[in-house]
Amino acid sequence: MLDYDDPDVETQWFVDRRKEVEEYLSRQGVAHGQVGEFPAWSVTPYVSIWAIESLRNPGSVGWWAISGDLPNDYISAKGINNPREAMRAIATLWQEASEYMLRGEKHPTFSIGAGDSDEELAPLLASRAKTLLEWADDPEVWEDDDF
């Protein structure tokens, strides 16, 4: 088992997640600037939130991405000013999507997965969303941050 308290192991996890985010955004056709060298926030090895540079406004965040032991996803940074808000926004979308999936319906504005395993994916997505929302609401998770 890897020791994620080891700085070298943690750094490699960051490198792997960054590459994963870059590849995911590319597959999704998201036009973007630089992906942060390190996550804006993380709990290694479970979740990382990444600031993605805007092409329209270089030097500012245009997107937020999530990666780790959960689905990769991204969201526009419009109105979302920090990793905590990004986590909450993504988790809320996942929660809504899982509810639609459980009913056998497609979310009107959001999709995740190919749709062929919604029955299996819905409870996992709901579970991850619940955990992320709990973390977003827990001040102790963010006590070292300026947000």
Side-chain angles (χ1 to χ4, degrees):
M1 178 129 194
L2 294 174
D3 177 9
Y4 290 99
D5 290 329
D6 179 332
D8 292 335
V9 172
E10 184 180 51
T11 297
Q12 185 59 51
W13 190 81
F14 292 155
V15 167
D16 294 344
R17 296 299 71 75
R18 182 177 190 267
K19 182 177 179 186
E20 198 171 85
V21 165
E22 289 173 328
E23 291 171 354
Y24 175 76
L25 294 173
S26 178
R27 286 192 310 274
Q28 296 298 311
V30 178
H32 62 85
Q34 294 293 314
V35 174
E37 187 174 339
F38 293 96
W41 181 88
S42 68
V43 174
T44 309
Y46 304 108
V47 62
S48 56
I49 306 286
W50 297 81
I52 314 299
E53 183 181 32
S54 168
L55 279 181
R56 288 187 186 163
N57 298 309
S60 65
V61 178
W63 307 95
W64 293 98
I66 192 167
S67 183
D69 183 26
L70 38 70
N72 291 316
D73 206 351
Y74 72 97
I75 193 165
S76 168
K78 185 175 182 180
I80 300 175
N81 301 311
N82 57 59
R84 187 178 191 174
E85 292 174 10
M87 176 185 286
R88 184 176 287 114
I90 290 170
T92 299
L93 277 175
W94 287 4
Q95 186 176 49
E96 290 173 9
S98 70
E99 291 168 2
Y100 274 84
M101 295 163 102
L102 286 170
R103 294 192 305 260
E105 301 173 14
K106 296 289 179 196
H107 190 281
T109 62
F110 175 77
S111 66
I112 191 163
D116 55 356
S117 59
D118 285 357
E119 199 170 288
E120 289 177 39
L121 182 58
L124 295 172
L125 196 60
S127 173
R128 296 302 196 281
K130 181 179 183 284
T131 299
L132 293 177
L133 287 169
E134 288 171 357
W135 284 355
D137 291 337
D138 183 350
E140 289 185 21
V141 172
W142 305 92
E143 66 186 9
D144 293 335
D145 294 328
D146 295 329
F147 304 111

